[in-house]
Amino acid sequence: MFSYCSDPSTLDGLTWLSCYLTTGKHMGLYVSVVTVLVLLAVTAPVALLFGFAGAASARSRIAPLRWFGKAYTAIVRGVPDIAFFLFFVIALDQGFEWIRHKILCSDWDQPIRQGSDFVVCDAAKLPLSSSPQWVHETYGFLLAVLTFAIVFGAFAANVLFGAMRAVPRAQMETAEAYGMSHRQAFWRIMVPQMWVYALPGLSNLWMVLIKATPLLFLLGVEDIVYWARELGGTKNARFTDYPHGDWRMWYFLALLVFYLAFTKVSEIVLDKIMKKLTHGQATAAGEAQRKAAA
Amino acid sequence: MKKLILTTAALALTAGIASADGHGKTVRMGTEGAYAPWNFVNDAGEIDGFERELGDELCKRAKLTCEWVKNDWDSIIPNLVSGNYDTIIAGMSITPERDEVIDFTQAYTPPDPSAYVAMSADVEVEGGVIAAQATTIQAAFVAEQGWTLVEFATPDETVAAVKNGEADAVLADKSFLDTVAGTDGLVMLERMEQIGGGVGMGVRESDQELKATFDAAIQSMKDDGTLNAMIAKWEVASQW
């Protein structure tokens, strides 16, 4: 990075550190921090959408839709995350490739399943094996977002399902008395009021999601915990210009600070949202807010 | 004018085909990147080591374009068979169990003994607590002996377990332990275990063409002595 970094063994103190912390390998760490933040920013809304769809269908009056909603929350919540990430993602990837294979290579005469191998024609590969590494990484990242969204969507569906039931029945009855249709009452009365009951559960999910990112490496996406372990491990002078002992403790300490800071910021933001949502609600906290203002 | 456009289009098309041919097939090489001197991540953040140099040379000889991919050891075989990359080149010993799931090229390093590293030279390994990387031949060996086995996801953690007293000794490839023995009070034990059948590249069982290509390339490197020179340079194994 810096011009004085050509021979690190002659350096010491802060100059050494400035060289050490700007190696290509450390850049990988910094990039992975951004990756994790982007993943969280994209996954959270998508998972919420999955959760909302799941909860709404679990309450549906149409039986098959209700079964689907209930089965989704029950099954996905029951399967361990790591099993989900090892098998489901591979199955998903193979599903995509199978569809492309059927469309693009109709003249293929070999079986797709050969023993334990999954073989599709070159054109059906996703991404193409000739595409550059960043395409593969982006694809892995998108698969990760989808998988996280499905897993956390199931938990969110359960939370939202409970929140919808927590909205006082009297509110819905009043809406009906005013002549609102089922759909109108759902969108105008229930949905705006349920968030205040859902938020504590959703904020828990958010905290768990923050910590679930090491599962990314199972998909070939390098996350911060991978880099902390890799950078912190003992480095032999034969293979690096920056030999050092077992520094994992320091790297994990930095991770700890990162996660704690992140949690703190999340808490502050969630508290603010909670205050906003409570405003004017028929709950104890809403009542307290009204009294304080009066 | 129309003809001109057609000709240009035809030219462009053939040019595209020609360049695609000259480029060769892209082969994705899967490795772990945590097993010096075999494969590791260097200061620049790139994959480096014996297998990087070997793989690049093999690809040059086979006229293939190679792309390097890092993957966790635990899921390295499932990701190969599902087609995320085309070869495993990660210090993987050829064993009958693995051979049932994937195929191996001919070995590029001869079978070498596995060694122990402990905090003192008089540690009794039999009946002791032995650390090994999960799903390796060494872990299978310790389990077979009926000794207490503690498994870790990465090679680095197995060594750390010995240093902090969690395990009495670590069993791993001698070349890997050579890089840690002598540091932080670690010593290599006299005892060695003759396990494994040499290290080869893993390919999908359906990919016989690729297997033959790499077999030929490895053979040519064995014949002209470049493979031995590379083994000597990285001190990974005994020579052919």
Side-chain angles (χ1 to χ4, degrees):
Chain A
M1 182 86 179
F2 304 112
S3 53
Y4 54 81
C5 291
S6 50
D7 187 10
S9 56
T10 58
L11 303 171
D12 54 7
L14 279 178
T15 25
W16 184 87
L17 200 66
S18 70
C19 289
Y20 176 68
L21 290 178
T22 51
T23 56
K25 219 172 168 177
H26 276 85
M27 292 302 162
L29 172 71
Y30 308 142
V31 169
S32 71
V33 172
V34 177
T35 310
V36 166
L37 293 179
V38 171
L39 178 92
L40 290 172
V42 177
T43 307
V46 179
L48 199 57
L49 210 67
F50 273 61
F52 190 80
S57 58
R59 284 176 52 87
S60 168
R61 279 177 299 177
I62 306 159
L65 204 60
R66 189 168 64 238
W67 295 334
F68 169 78
K70 298 229 179 207
Y72 167 58
T73 46
I75 294 172
V76 176
R77 285 190 309 143
V79 177
D81 285 359
I82 192 149
F84 215 83
F85 268 79
L86 271 181
F87 299 108
F88 177 76
V89 177
I90 289 180
L92 193 71
D93 178 42
Q94 292 187 349
F96 288 149
E97 289 189 346
W98 184 80
I99 294 168
R100 279 168 61 92
H101 179 82
K102 286 285 166 200
I103 298 168
L104 295 170
C105 309
S106 43
D107 54 344
W108 184 264
D109 53 353
Q110 293 166 24
I112 292 182
R113 283 245 159 253
Q114 300 181 14
S116 55
D117 293 7
F118 181 82
V119 188
V120 292
C121 61
D122 283 344
K125 282 254 165 159
L126 201 66
L128 297 171
S129 55
S130 56
S131 31
Q133 182 58 19
W134 69 265
V135 177
H136 286 266
E137 272 164 25
T138 313
Y139 178 70
F141 181 81
L142 292 178
L143 274 185
V145 168
L146 188 57
T147 317
F148 270 119
I150 290 173
V151 173
F152 283 84
F155 286 96
N158 204 41
V159 170
L160 293 177
F161 184 73
M164 285 175 184
R165 301 185 110 176
V167 174
R169 178 72 199 128
Q171 297 273 337
M172 295 301 282
E173 273 167 13
T174 313
E176 278 157 21
Y178 271 92
M180 286 191 196
S181 68
H182 197 78
R183 175 185 294 250
Q184 279 174 329
F186 177 76
W187 284 108
R188 297 187 188 174
I189 307 298
M190 184 177 281
V191 172
Q193 292 196 71
M194 71 174 191
W195 297 111
V196 73
Y197 303 104
L199 200 64
L202 290 180
S203 64
N204 264 346
L205 275 184
W206 168 252
M207 297 294 177
V208 177
L209 177 64
I210 292 176
K211 294 178 294 179
T213 52
L215 288 172
L216 276 179
F217 193 50
L218 290 176
L219 304 177
V221 182
E222 287 141 8
D223 93 305
I224 34 182
V225 178
Y226 162 77
W227 277 115
R229 210 171 55 183
E230 166 63 34
L231 286 162
T234 309
K235 294 283 170 291
N236 189 302
R238 236 175 91 194
F239 307 114
T240 171
D241 290 336
Y242 303 90
H244 60 75
D246 193 346
W247 282 3
R248 284 182 303 172
M249 199 179 98
W250 303 111
Y251 281 93
F252 281 109
L253 201 66
L255 276 193
L256 182 84
V257 171
F258 171 75
Y259 277 119
L260 281 181
F262 202 32
T263 313
K264 186 70 202 162
V265 171
S266 303
E267 261 177 10
I268 293 170
V269 172
L270 287 167
D271 266 357
K272 282 228 162 98
I273 298 177
M274 191 68 186
K275 271 215 181 90
K276 268 232 161 76
L277 286 176
T278 317
H279 186 74
Q281 292 283 349
T283 59
E287 184 63 13
Q289 243 180 28
R290 195 185 59 81
K291 277 195 181 138
Chain B
M1 189 61 198
K2 203 170 184 185
K3 203 169 182 183
L4 188 70
I5 293 172
L6 273 177
T7 330
T8 335
L11 264 176
L13 264 177
T14 42
I17 292 164
S19 73
D21 268 340
H23 206 56
K25 202 174 163 246
T26 306
V27 172
R28 289 167 55 79
M29 315 274 270
T31 193
E32 188 194 7
Y35 204 56
W38 295 81
N39 54 74
F40 59 94
V41 181
N42 65 14
D43 288 334
E46 291 154 352
I47 291 160
D48 203 341
F50 166 68
E51 280 168 329
R52 172 71 200 250
E53 201 179 325
L54 173 72
D56 284 346
E57 177 64 27
L58 289 175
C59 289
K60 208 170 92 194
R61 290 185 185 217
K63 297 202 170 52
L64 298 166
T65 316
C66 285
E67 185 100 43
W68 288 85
V69 187
K70 228 182 315 173
N71 199 94
D72 219 9
W73 176 258
D74 277 343
S75 58
I76 207 164
I77 290 181
N79 274 323
L80 173 75
V81 294
S82 75
N84 287 1
Y85 36 80
D86 306 303
T87 68
I88 296 174
I89 174 160
M92 188 179 270
S93 300
I94 302 167
T95 67
E97 292 82 10
R98 286 176 184 147
D99 212 6
E100 279 172 20
V101 187
I102 58 173
D103 257 2
F104 283 100
T105 62
Q106 62 165 306
Y108 49 75
T109 64
D112 263 342
S114 295
Y116 295 93
V117 154
M119 289 307 280
S120 85
D122 50 1
V123 162
E124 190 58 54
V125 292
E126 268 174 61
V129 180
I130 310 296
Q133 189 181 12
T135 65
T136 56
I137 50 169
Q138 287 85 11
F141 173 81
V142 175
E144 221 170 79
Q145 303 298 310
W147 306 335
T148 311
L149 167 69
V150 277
E151 287 181 295
F152 294 92
T154 61
D156 202 51
E157 286 166 302
T158 61
V159 178
V162 174
K163 277 192 238 171
N164 63 30
E166 206 177 325
D168 297 329
V170 46
L171 179 62
D173 286 333
K174 189 173 171 296
S175 55
F176 166 69
L177 291 179
D178 275 335
T179 66
V180 296
T183 61
D184 299 323
L186 291 167
V187 286
M188 194 170 286
L189 304 187
E190 300 257 325
R191 179 175 175 146
M192 303 269 174
E193 308 292 351
Q194 199 63 50
I195 40 180
V199 170
M201 270 167 91
V203 293
R204 279 184 294 277
E205 285 190 330
S206 53
D207 228 350
Q208 290 303 320
E209 198 187 328
L210 190 66
K211 182 185 160 184
T213 311
F214 277 116
D215 264 340
I218 293 171
Q219 193 57 50
S220 82
M221 284 187 70
K222 277 183 183 171
D223 291 344
D224 65 12
T226 41
L227 184 56
N228 274 340
M230 224 176 256
I231 290 174
K233 177 187 164 194
W234 288 98
E235 299 171 22
V236 286
S238 51
Q239 302 194 0
W240 289 99

